[in-house]
């Protein structure tokens, strides 16, 4: 599976963005999918994850209640809806895939290129 993220941009605090991650190749529906982010000078951190069928999701505490991860296996795409954005959400966002359990964050080993999200105050 190869991953291509899109949808980043510049938005004011309180605004919303939806990121998409399109997968090419076979067996997308067998992959757990996740979003991670990396702010300048910081380590990459987990944001949200979803299991293969889209029935279960997990979120970092910092985004819980504001972000929603979803997937459409028919379109080989995973989404991250980001609402009530804050300046501290500014980062490069990466989508990632794993054949392991969706909350096994260390196991994500298939990565897309990042998409920049900038939230102005």
């Amino acid at each position: 599976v190869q991953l291509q993220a899109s949808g980043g941009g510049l938005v004011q605090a309180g605004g919303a963005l939806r990121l998409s991650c399109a997968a090419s190749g076979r067996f997308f529906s067998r992959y757990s999918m996740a979003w991670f982010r990396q702010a300048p000078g910081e380590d990459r951190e987990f944001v949200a994850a979803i299991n293969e069928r889209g029935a279960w999701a997990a979120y970092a505490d910092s985004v819980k209640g504001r972000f929603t991860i979803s997937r459409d296996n028919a379109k080989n795409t995973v989404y991250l809806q980001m609402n009530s954005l804050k300046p501290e959400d500014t980062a490069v966002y990466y989508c990632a895939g794993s054949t392991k359990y969706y909350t096994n964050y260390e196991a994500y080993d298939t990565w897309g290129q990042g998409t920049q999200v900038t939230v102005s105050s």
Side-chain angles (χ1 to χ4, degrees):
V1 170
Q2 293 182 319
L3 304 175
Q4 178 81 28
S6 62
L10 173 63
V11 63
Q12 289 188 331
L17 281 175
R18 188 175 82 154
L19 305 184
S20 298
C21 176
S24 60
R26 301 175 68 186
F27 308 125
F28 172 76
S29 62
R30 298 184 185 181
Y31 280 74
S32 299
M33 296 298 297
W35 290 93
F36 292 77
R37 67 186 182 187
Q38 187 167 19
E42 302 289 333
D43 292 333
R44 187 159 56 191
E45 65 173 0
F46 165 76
V47 175
I50 191 166
N51 76 327
E52 296 91 332
R53 293 177 181 251
W56 299 99
Y59 298 91
D61 288 344
S62 59
V63 306
K64 203 171 292 183
R66 300 188 297 122
F67 291 11
T68 302
I69 188 170
S70 62
R71 67 190 295 162
D72 185 339
N73 285 347
K75 296 182 178 180
N76 279 11
T77 302
V78 62
Y79 304 97
L80 185 68
Q81 177 67 44
M82 305 185 295
N83 298 329
S84 302
L85 282 161
K86 304 175 181 180
E88 52 264 43
D89 294 318
T90 294
V92 177
Y93 283 70
Y94 299 88
C95 59
S98 168
T99 57
K100 306 300 183 185
Y101 193 67
Y102 74 109
T103 56
N104 186 351
Y105 306 137
E106 300 297 323
Y108 283 88
D109 56 4
T110 300
W111 293 86
Q113 94 297 351
T115 185
Q116 176 71 46
V117 172
T118 303
V119 184
S120 63
S121 57

